[in-house]
Amino acid sequence: MSRTLVIAAGQLGPVARKEKRSSVVSRMTSLMETAADRNADLVVFPELALTTFFPRWYMEDQAEIDAFFETEMPSEETLPLFDAARRLGLAFSFGFAEKTVDDNGETRRFNTSLLVAPDGAILLKYRKIHLPGHRENETWRPFQHLEKRYFETGDLGFPVAEALGGRVGMCICNDRRWPETFRMLGLQKAELVLLGYNTPVHYPPAPEHDHLQDFHNHLSMQAGAYQNGTWVVGVAKAGCEEGCDLIGGTCIIAPTGEIVARCSTLGDELITAVCNLDRCREIQDNIFDFAQHRQPRHYGLLVT
Ligand code: CDV
């Protein structure tokens, strides 16, 4: 398989609370068609792509909360994504709220991403580990961020799969701010990291940083790419969603840390870049050759 992929990032504009899955899925399939017109091999969609970013509301009624979750994948409503992938010969990744029953009969809820092959096979699954926000209703906030209430911490670690001719990892939104996330993927020789995000412009606990949201977004992802010598595709759900402004800034980042393609709107938008996975060698065999230069004996504090 060629080690040069045409990668597309499918940014989504706002998704209203009352917008049906079928409508979002049709917006996504339309971006997949544009991606196929541009000969893309893969299209990457945001975190919790299928619904509005529901952790902004405090809810107690479990049935109301569960309406935002998927219990099967594909479902009748999401099958058109899988059909489009097959028809267009495209892999795709996207985030969704996953409700599942484990082997002990316990119901579990995760903030999840999948990487799906053109034939519908699941190549990789990741459950978000760094869940930001809080558990209780904090009425002083203009909007809530209740990921800690609605999801449990991911239980799959930071997996990297042999896929699409290279080594692919995923993380989700807040994970990108943690160097440990990228280093866990980098230590497994990831060559491509796919990630989606929903990032409000306003950060209620530190509003003095609101003007830095776009900067911190790119700073984290570009550092993660460079320090681990990997391609990074960061994809936003953007724009004013239910009165809450979300940053855009969807981009594709080379292993050198350079942004090679970037969205310019806050709506549904598709960007593409030609990504040669062999370019990871420029960094992984040189300045960040872990085997030669890392000093794990001196990093004990990182895991204690
Ligand atoms: N969805 C997220 O994880 N959002 C966080 C916000 C709350 C800071 C982020 O890190 O972008």
Side-chain angles (χ1 to χ4, degrees):
M1 194 171 200
S2 163
R3 300 257 304 154
T4 297
L5 299 172
V6 178
I7 298 181
Q11 176 175 285
L12 292 176
V15 174
R17 187 171 187 163
K18 63 176 179 356
E19 186 167 346
K20 294 202 165 24
R21 301 278 202 290
S22 56
S23 161
V24 185
V25 164
S26 106
R27 287 166 59 186
M28 290 166 74
T29 50
S30 142
L31 290 171
M32 288 168 88
E33 274 154 21
T34 307
D37 287 345
R38 297 190 202 161
N39 292 320
D41 300 291
L42 164 69
V43 55
V44 184
F45 291 111
E47 174 190 35
L48 298 176
L50 303 172
T51 63
T52 199
F53 190 76
F54 62 90
R56 74 168 62 89
W57 293 295
Y58 178 75
M59 296 174 274
E60 289 181 343
D61 175 2
Q62 196 58 55
E64 186 184 10
I65 298 163
D66 280 347
F68 294 102
F69 282 74
E70 314 300 316
T71 52
E72 51 178 350
M73 190 58 66
S75 59
E76 205 178 310
E77 284 161 314
T78 52
L79 189 61
L81 292 171
F82 290 70
D83 288 343
R86 199 168 287 118
R87 176 166 50 84
L88 301 167
L90 257 183
F92 67 106
S93 79
F94 68 107
F96 64 101
E98 178 192 14
K99 180 181 164 192
T100 187
V101 178
D102 70 15
D103 294 343
N104 302 321
E106 298 285 329
T107 298
R108 318 274 305 269
R109 293 176 184 81
F110 298 101
N111 185 342
T112 297
S113 279
L114 287 182
L115 171 63
V116 184
D119 67 0
I122 308 291
L123 297 172
L124 184 60
K125 181 179 201 166
Y126 171 70
R127 290 171 170 161
K128 187 174 182 178
I129 287 181
H130 297 99
L131 295 171
H134 49 106
R135 273 184 193 85
E136 301 306 327
N137 196 14
E138 297 187 358
T139 51
W140 61 269
R141 292 173 184 258
F143 53 86
Q144 305 295 301
H145 198 105
L146 289 156
E147 285 194 64
K148 287 193 197 294
R149 182 181 187 83
Y150 299 138
F151 303 113
E152 60 180 289
T153 303
D155 61 352
L156 302 175
F158 292 98
V160 169
E162 286 284 350
L164 311 173
R167 295 185 60 76
V168 186
M170 293 195 287
C171 63
I172 301 177
C173 196
N174 192 261
D175 286 321
R176 75 197 188 288
R177 302 184 191 271
W178 298 86
E180 293 88 346
T181 299
F182 282 104
R183 185 47 50 96
M184 284 300 296
L185 298 170
L187 285 169
Q188 297 169 79
K189 303 199 180 310
E191 296 173 309
L192 176 60
V193 176
L194 315 176
L195 75 96
Y197 56 90
N198 284 259
T199 297
V201 173
H202 179 50
Y203 184 63
E208 64 275 24
H209 294 164
D210 287 0
H211 69 291
L212 299 173
Q213 289 298 344
D214 287 298
F215 168 60
H216 288 161
N217 177 38
H218 286 155
L219 178 71
S220 307
M221 296 193 296
Q222 290 179 262
Y226 168 59
Q227 290 168 347
N228 297 281
T230 178
W231 289 90
V232 172
V233 184
V235 187
K237 173 124 72 54
C240 187
E241 188 177 86
E242 298 291 354
C244 178
D245 284 312
L246 301 172
I247 65 165
T250 293
C251 60
I252 301 174
I253 303 165
T256 51
E258 296 162 286
I259 293 177
V260 295
R262 180 184 171 159
C263 280
S264 58
T265 72
L266 295 176
D268 291 7
E269 183 179 345
L270 191 99
I271 52 168
T272 52
V274 177
C275 304
N276 180 353
L277 301 182
D278 287 331
R279 287 206 57 204
C280 297
R281 304 265 61 80
E282 292 171 26
I283 301 294
Q284 291 182 5
D285 291 351
N286 291 300
I287 185 87
F288 290 117
D289 178 341
F290 292 162
Q292 260 206 84
H293 307 304
R294 249 181 113 247
Q295 297 293 341
R297 278 179 305 140
H298 297 285
Y299 304 157
L301 267 182
L302 288 177
V303 286
T304 52

